């Protein structure tokens, strides 16, 4: 099979880490007999510099016609003097809108080999765990009506928390489908004790669950979950929630990994096409740029997510994830995850060693 992938390197370490994701995916292609065509897309900073727009029409068409998009890193502080819609980082909002990206997937893995980096006790981490956060991108106060003005008591503002049945169903169906390939459990988070939007959320999710009787559904209040996900993370597998709740909680859970640099993310439309990035897409650590010390694992694992969710290549996705785990278990580490006894390596070497492990896995499968 052949797949066409648009590549937006972005700012800072973007090119360095994306190049390693491409290296690893090409190795997957060699081992599993696929062809991945990577085409650079002019978007973000380079497009603003050249065309004055973060996503020119030509680049948008390229993204629409490709099978998936790989994105590196975007700096939020680029060109602050420009209107928001003209800044490089606005490319993310444009892609979400133009490609109708509705669902954000953020897997949070805490590896036993990196347990010392986590704020959790080893007794809680155990052999490690993986939680998949699925949050909505289509509704809620992040995407709905906003107002700011002057009222009877001076300045005032509101952000509308709007949801409808169709929005909630799309997210719920995606969560249940994904859970079928994992541990068959979905935990849906809301504030249905008081919010009408959450009452509707819980009602619709419950209705959808009737079509997925093989998957267990647990409804939980968001404030309760915010505590329990730390004290008992193994109790969670697929977490389903709204945009605002998910935005906050996913950052909390990401902190459990000790470093966000090993975590990927994906934003999908209803056809599975989407945008694949590191969890830390807004990494603006200038000290890392051009020194071959940035951690590419988040970007590499975003490639694994692309294989699974955009192309349906489960075995190939698992090969990347397995290769990353082997590398970490063997104590190879970039600067940010270098612990006592680790073998410190650079960005490019990390990509090369993960590629070697994929070749090993390929031989084992023969």
């Amino acid at each position: 099979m052949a797949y066409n992938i648009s590549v937006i390197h972005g700012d800072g370490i973007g090119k360095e880490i994306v190049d390693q994701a491409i290296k690893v995916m090409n190795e997957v292609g060699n081992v599993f007999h696929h062809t991945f065509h990577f085409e650079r897309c002019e978007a973000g900073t380079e497009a603003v510099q050249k065309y004055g727009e973060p996503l020119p029409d030509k680049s948008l068409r390229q993204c629409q016609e490709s099978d998936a998009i790989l994105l590196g890193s975007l700096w939020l502080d680029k060109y602050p003097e420009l209107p928001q819609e003209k800044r490089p980082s606005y490319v993310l909002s444009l892609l979400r809108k133009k490609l109708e990206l509705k669902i954000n997937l953020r897997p949070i893995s805490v590896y036993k080999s990196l347990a010392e980096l986590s704020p959790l006790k080893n007794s809680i981490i155990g052999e490690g765990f993986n939680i998949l956060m699925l949050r909505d991108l289509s509704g809620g106060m992040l995407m709905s009506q906003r107002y700011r003005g002057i009222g009877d008591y001076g300045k005032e503002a509101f952000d509308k928390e709007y949801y409808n049945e169709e929005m909630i169903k799309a997210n719920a169906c995606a969560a249940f489908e994904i859970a079928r390939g994992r541990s068959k459990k979905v935990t849906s988070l809301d504030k249905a004790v008081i919010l009408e939007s959450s009452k509707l959320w819980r009602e619709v999710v419950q209705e959808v669950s009737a079509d997925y009787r093989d998957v267990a559904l647990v409804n939980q209040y968001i404030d309760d979950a915010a505590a329990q996900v730390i004290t008992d993370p193994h109790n969670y597998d697929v977490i389903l929630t709204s945009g605002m709740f998910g935005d906050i909680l996913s950052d909390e859970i990401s902190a459990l990994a000790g470093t966000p640099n090993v975590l990927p993310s994906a934003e999908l439309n209803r056809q599975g096409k989407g945008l694949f990035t590191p969890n830390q897409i807004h990494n603006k650590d200038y000290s890392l740029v051009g020194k071959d010390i940035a951690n590419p694992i988040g970007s590499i694992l975003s490639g694994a997510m692309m294989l699974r969710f955009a192309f349906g290549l489960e075995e190939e996705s698992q090969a990347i994830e397995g290769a990353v785990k082997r590398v970490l278990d063997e104590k190879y580490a970039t600067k940010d995850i270098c612990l006592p006894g680790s073998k410190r390596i650079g960005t490019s070497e990390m990509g090369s060693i993960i590629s070697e492990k994929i070749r090993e896995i390929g031989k084992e499968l023969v």
Side-chain angles (χ1 to χ4, degrees), residues 148-278:
R148 183 165 182 172
I150 302 295
D152 294 340
Y153 302 98
K155 297 175 184 177
E156 62 182 11
F158 71 74
D159 298 282
K160 187 175 182 180
E161 178 75 2
Y162 173 82
Y163 273 104
N164 61 44
E165 188 174 359
E166 184 180 356
M167 291 174 178
I168 300 169
K169 277 186 175 180
N171 283 271
C173 288
F176 284 111
E177 290 289 346
I178 291 170
R180 276 179 165 168
R182 292 169 60 97
S183 68
K184 295 184 170 59
K185 179 181 179 181
V186 171
T187 303
S188 179
L189 308 182
D190 56 48
K191 193 65 174 174
V193 68
I194 189 169
L195 298 179
E196 287 300 326
S197 58
S198 279
K199 291 175 183 177
L200 176 64
W201 182 280
R202 181 172 292 206
E203 176 186 321
V204 174
V205 171
Q206 194 71 48
E207 290 172 356
V208 171
S209 71
D211 295 327
Y212 297 89
R213 298 189 183 279
D214 56 323
V215 178
L217 169 64
V218 176
N219 291 300
Q220 189 174 21
Y221 294 138
I222 180 65
D223 44 348
D224 185 31
Q228 290 197 29
V229 78
I230 295 174
T231 57
D232 189 14
H234 292 276
N235 192 40
Y236 296 87
D237 187 53
V238 176
I239 294 178
L240 165 67
T241 193
S242 63
M244 178 58 82
F245 291 157
D247 191 36
I248 296 169
L249 192 66
S250 58
D251 283 345
E252 177 193 3
I253 303 174
S254 295
L256 302 183
T259 172
N261 299 327
V262 298
L263 304 177
S265 70
E267 300 187 8
L268 307 176
N269 62 22
R270 293 176 186 176
Q271 291 73 47
K273 179 176 178 176
L275 176 71
F276 300 85
T277 75

Side-chain angles (χ1 to χ4, degrees), residues 16-225:
E16 297 174 66
I17 60 176
V18 166
D19 282 351
Q20 301 315 304
I22 292 173
K23 178 192 294 183
V24 169
M25 288 185 68
N26 279 331
E27 191 58 53
V28 168
N30 292 334
V31 170
F32 292 91
H33 310 295
H34 302 296
T35 300
F36 301 110
H37 298 291
F38 297 95
E39 183 179 359
R40 186 173 69 85
C41 179
E42 291 182 316
T45 296
E46 66 172 323
V48 170
Q49 291 173 341
K50 191 171 180 180
Y51 305 106
E53 299 284 346
L55 188 64
D57 289 343
K58 178 182 177 182
S59 299
L60 172 60
R61 286 195 299 272
Q62 178 185 331
C63 290
Q64 290 172 326
E65 293 169 2
S66 65
D67 297 310
I69 303 161
L70 194 61
L71 173 60
S73 179
L74 296 172
W75 282 342
L76 293 173
D77 57 353
K78 277 275 190 178
Y79 300 102
E81 72 281 3
L82 293 176
Q84 184 179 18
E85 64 273 11
K86 297 291 185 180
R87 295 176 192 172
S89 59
Y90 196 65
V91 68
L92 186 57
S93 297
L94 288 170
L95 288 171
R96 285 175 175 173
K97 180 179 179 180
K98 300 296 185 180
L99 299 181
E100 298 184 324
L101 305 179
K102 305 294 187 182
I103 297 168
N104 179 212
L105 300 178
R106 294 178 68 175
I108 295 95
S109 297
V110 176
Y111 299 95
K112 183 179 180 181
S113 55
L114 299 180
E116 289 182 48
L117 296 173
S118 174
L120 296 178
K121 296 178 181 179
N122 285 336
S123 59
I124 295 177
I125 294 173
E127 294 299 312
F129 58 85
N130 177 276
I131 297 171
L132 180 65
M133 168 72 73
L134 189 156
R135 75 177 182 104
D136 168 70
L137 291 176
S138 60
M141 66 177 67
L142 296 178
M143 301 300 294
S144 303
Q145 182 184 353
R146 296 174 184 147
Y147 162 79
R148 183 165 182 172
I150 302 295
D152 294 340
Y153 302 98
K155 297 175 184 177
E156 62 182 11
F158 71 74
D159 298 282
K160 187 175 182 180
E161 178 75 2
Y162 173 82
Y163 273 104
N164 61 44
E165 188 174 359
E166 184 180 356
M167 291 174 178
I168 300 169
K169 277 186 175 180
N171 283 271
C173 288
F176 284 111
E177 290 289 346
I178 291 170
R180 276 179 165 168
R182 292 169 60 97
S183 68
K184 295 184 170 59
K185 179 181 179 181
V186 171
T187 303
S188 179
L189 308 182
D190 56 48
K191 193 65 174 174
V193 68
I194 189 169
L195 298 179
E196 287 300 326
S197 58
S198 279
K199 291 175 183 177
L200 176 64
W201 182 280
R202 181 172 292 206
E203 176 186 321
V204 174
V205 171
Q206 194 71 48
E207 290 172 356
V208 171
S209 71
D211 295 327
Y212 297 89
R213 298 189 183 279
D214 56 323
V215 178
L217 169 64
V218 176
N219 291 300
Q220 189 174 21
Y221 294 138
I222 180 65
D223 44 348
D224 185 31

